[in-house]
Amino acid sequence: MDIGIGLPGHARWTDGTTLVDWARRAELRGFSSLSVSDRLAWSTPEPLITLAAAAGATSRIRLVTSVLLAPLRANHALFAKAVTTLDQLAGPGRLQLGLAPGLRKDDFVLSDVDYGTRGKQFDQLLDRLAAATAPGDPVGPRPATPGGPALLFGGTSKATLRRIVSRGTGWIAGDATVQDVQDFAPQLRQAWTAAGRPGAPRLVASVMYALGPDAEAAISDAVGSYYAFAGDEYADYGISIAYTRPEQITAAIAAFDQIGCDELIFMGNDPDPAQVDLLAEVIGL
């Protein structure tokens, strides 16, 4: 199982160069992927711009959106151009787009995008992205990756299953538990086989982490604030399933590996780039 790391974009970072430092350190320490999350009504950095900076600072590590709220990109042709441009900057095979329809209405209100039709808009965006990756489309450049970057979809709905088996390479589960993966993976594999797709869908899970003497405070501040919109109970749950001790992290790696995950991404919650090294040391990178 691959081990990736996620930028602390939803935490209280104040200097964008810190995120670039994270990217450099993540590649040097041998993490498989660098991911970035997405929200509009929050201080989270814009994912494609952030990964463009990371692409310029690195040369090998995969670059992942985990996950990008696709329907907010209302100009589908412009979004397709941004994606193919980023794919060119990163080089073949490095960019992987984790995409989801989004849950929070405030993101859509701020975007003047209709929340109720976001699924339909999502599918239209995917159609436009597919067209932009084919020869002859007026929207350029063509992607460096043949056929365009790999697509992973988040969520557990029937629409998610449909998008994965018809357009994607797999599933990406945010802030996941082992049980979450065990609950969804069997129906995903069944749908994949029924659709006649060869092999198996890629399973990627992400979890929250912080390490060091201030780890619990960092988790409480970052995760608690980020999930406060859903109420204290949900925020407390998010805090409770985050990883703050080395033994928790090694146990999580063993557990997600045992159930067949292809990659586990540890999302940062403390902006200090030293967090990259602390995690690398725990897992032996």
Side-chain angles (χ1 to χ4, degrees):
M1 184 177 69
D2 293 336
I3 305 295
I5 192 168
L7 294 171
H10 64 280
R12 300 182 191 274
W13 61 278
T14 57
D15 182 355
T17 60
T18 296
L19 303 183
V20 176
D21 193 2
W22 267 71
R24 292 193 182 101
R25 291 191 188 206
E27 180 165 272
L28 286 172
R29 295 306 298 253
F31 287 97
S32 58
S33 296
L34 178 78
S35 76
V36 60
S37 58
D38 187 21
R39 277 291 316 285
L40 185 62
W42 197 256
S43 58
T44 313
E46 201 289 317
L48 299 183
I49 292 175
T50 303
L51 291 183
T58 60
S59 61
R60 300 181 306 278
I61 194 169
R62 286 195 299 264
L63 307 172
V64 181
T65 57
S66 177
V67 292
L68 187 143
L69 307 181
L72 296 183
R73 279 68 187 181
N75 187 324
H76 299 163
L78 185 60
F79 171 73
K81 188 178 186 71
V83 168
T84 58
T85 300
L86 177 54
D87 194 70
Q88 277 285 348
L89 294 173
R94 290 183 69 196
L95 178 62
Q96 294 191 353
L97 289 181
L99 304 169
L103 291 174
R104 288 195 53 171
K105 291 185 178 180
D106 54 352
D107 288 330
F108 290 82
V109 170
L110 289 169
S111 300
D112 290 325
V113 173
D114 182 56
Y115 182 80
T117 60
R118 68 193 187 282
K120 179 180 180 181
Q121 296 175 68
F122 192 178
D123 289 332
Q124 291 173 347
L125 177 144
L126 293 172
D127 288 340
R128 190 65 191 85
L129 178 59
T133 64
D137 190 85
V139 174
R142 299 281 76 74
T145 304
L151 303 182
L152 302 164
F153 293 97
T156 57
S157 67
K158 291 181 179 178
T160 297
L161 282 172
R162 170 178 57 80
R163 293 184 183 111
I164 293 173
V165 301
S166 63
R167 304 176 184 266
T169 58
W171 180 52
I172 187 163
D175 208 4
T177 65
V178 168
Q179 190 63 52
D180 292 333
V181 178
Q182 287 180 313
D183 288 344
F184 188 68
Q187 56 183 307
L188 171 57
R189 293 187 177 111
Q190 182 179 11
W192 185 272
T193 301
R197 297 287 302 271
R202 183 170 176 80
L203 299 180
V204 180
S206 69
V207 297
M208 299 288 193
Y209 94 96
L211 289 167
D214 300 321
E216 292 186 4
I219 290 290
S220 180
D221 182 52
V223 176
S225 299
Y226 193 65
Y227 288 138
F229 75 93
D232 291 342
E233 184 177 353
Y234 189 83
D236 290 343
Y237 172 74
I239 292 170
S240 72
I241 62 172
Y243 298 90
T244 58
R245 299 193 303 274
E247 62 270 22
Q248 292 177 323
I249 287 173
T250 54
I253 291 172
F256 279 97
D257 187 28
Q258 186 175 16
I259 63 171
C261 274
D262 296 291
E263 184 169 28
L264 181 61
I265 300 175
F266 287 90
M267 301 293 294
N269 288 271
D270 181 340
D272 186 351
Q275 288 286 313
V276 179
D277 299 309
L278 289 174
L279 180 61
E281 289 161 10
V282 168
I283 64 180
L285 292 178

